[in-house]
Amino acid sequence: MTCTRGTAAMNITVLGIGMMGLPMAQRLREAGFAVTAWNRTVEKAMRLAAHGARVAHTAAQAVREADVVITMLENGDAVQAVLFGQGVAQVLKPGTLVIDMSSIKPAQARDHARRLAEHGCAHLDAPVSGGTVGAQAGTLAIMVGGEAADFARAQPVFAPLGRATHVGPHGAGQLAKLANQMIVGITIGAVSEALLLAARGGADMARVREAIRGGFAESRILEVHGQRMVERDFAKRAAMSVQLKDLRNALDTADALDFQAPITKLFAQLYADGVDHGLSEYDHSALFVELARRNGMK
């Protein structure tokens, strides 16, 4: 990627250098942006120093000169604590654009946008899908809520990270992410249960997966997670605990909208059972393990 004059002049701060924040910040550096990194555990942020990023020891210090601040944190409470509990909002320059790429509740995103506006700053909720593979490759699906003008302003920032789509006002990006996570979580369950049933009946699970690919059952979940199930490879890329958090956020949002979501409710309980049985930090495809356990299968 080459650096444009506009890119070189834009200072970006990334708050949260975890499994997703790290490769995203690396791609922004490769695109020519000046990047400042902060993480609660400073050692994680220090990994970016070799890529030419500046590392700050406090979140407030990290954002003082930022034109754009990206948050990639665990949940809405963490985002709120960093933005409003650690002095970030108070030291932002007027006109700073805060892009929250964490997965949080839509109501929290709307509240953060309102509170940042009181400080003269703009806000986009822009959660992502694609996992660490998409973050490393710059192929994330980015779902964006907020003002159209702010979305246009953020385009150079989104470009190295993936494909961004403006889906509506503040909070709409988080609604899109909840829809994504409902589909992902439920489909993982469907693929797991189907492959386990085939195996219980005596079929070769790997060949069943191969046989149904390309038909109406084809999906990215069958392709990627189905292969992980065949190989029993449940190393964490997207954690069971995070999938459960997202499904619970979807249910809370459904309740607030007086919307019935019985399928999501069922799967939230299945993921909760998996977490209770020690699968919290395994990949979310490890729902397969919980369903296998229920059936006395390995």
Side-chain angles (χ1 to χ4, degrees):
M1 299 178 188
T2 58
C3 174
T4 66
R5 288 182 62 190
T7 297
M10 188 181 294
N11 293 316
I12 299 179
T13 291
V14 180
L15 303 177
I17 310 299
M19 292 180 65
M20 295 292 289
L22 177 64
M24 291 167 66
Q26 288 173 334
R27 289 197 62 84
L28 291 169
R29 276 296 302 137
E30 290 168 3
F33 290 104
V35 173
T36 299
W38 171 85
N39 196 76
R40 183 178 60 182
T41 305
V42 70
E43 290 77 13
K44 292 185 177 180
M46 288 301 297
R47 295 176 293 178
L48 285 167
H51 297 271
R54 172 176 170 264
V55 177
H57 289 272
T58 70
Q61 180 188 44
V63 304
R64 287 184 183 276
E65 301 302 321
D67 301 301
V68 174
V69 174
I70 293 174
T71 50
M72 178 53 85
L73 300 165
E74 184 177 2
N75 53 46
D77 291 343
V79 175
Q80 178 170 307
V82 170
L83 289 180
F84 306 108
Q86 297 188 30
V88 167
Q90 290 85 347
V91 301
L92 291 173
K93 297 186 301 184
T96 301
L97 175 60
V98 177
I99 306 175
D100 183 14
M101 306 189 81
S102 320
S103 295
I104 72 175
K105 295 179 182 179
Q108 290 175 312
R110 291 190 292 269
D111 179 63
H112 297 168
R114 177 187 61 78
R115 295 171 68 178
L116 286 167
E118 293 173 355
H119 292 274
C121 298
H123 176 274
L124 294 171
D125 50 290
V128 303
S129 180
T132 54
V133 173
Q136 291 162 358
T139 57
L140 293 170
I142 308 169
M143 299 148 267
V144 188
E147 299 293 336
D150 294 324
F151 175 73
R153 177 182 165 193
Q155 284 304 303
V157 179
F158 290 141
L161 304 178
R163 176 181 56 84
T165 304
H166 185 221
V167 296
H170 296 296
Q174 298 297 347
L175 283 168
K177 180 58 186 287
L178 292 180
N180 181 86
Q181 292 304 89
M182 290 164 72
I183 293 168
V184 168
I186 291 166
T187 306
I188 286 173
V191 172
S192 298
E193 193 166 271
L195 293 180
L196 284 165
L197 175 66
R200 172 62 66 83
D204 184 310
M205 194 167 70
R207 291 186 176 274
V208 169
R209 173 183 168 275
E210 180 181 345
I212 63 179
R213 291 205 58 202
F216 265 25
E218 177 66 291
S219 70
R220 183 72 170 153
I221 300 297
L222 180 63
E223 176 190 358
V224 176
H225 292 76
Q227 185 63 29
R228 291 174 184 166
M229 294 168 193
V230 168
E231 296 175 354
R232 306 299 200 274
D233 173 15
F234 301 113
K236 182 173 71 173
R237 288 87 165 178
M240 285 276 286
S241 58
V242 174
Q243 181 69 60
L244 175 59
K245 179 262 295 184
D246 289 340
L247 293 180
R248 285 175 169 168
N249 282 350
L251 291 172
D252 287 346
T253 301
D255 286 343
L257 295 172
D258 192 26
F259 179 84
Q260 295 186 33
I263 299 173
T264 302
K265 185 175 183 179
L266 169 62
F267 276 87
Q269 185 58 57
L270 292 171
Y271 280 96
D273 290 346
V275 167
D276 288 344
H277 292 133
L279 300 175
S280 177
E281 293 305 307
Y282 286 83
D283 190 75
H284 55 174
S285 58
L287 183 62
F288 177 94
V289 177
E290 171 60 23
L291 294 174
R293 183 197 64 80
R294 286 170 173 248
N295 286 286
M297 302 169 69
K298 294 184 179 181

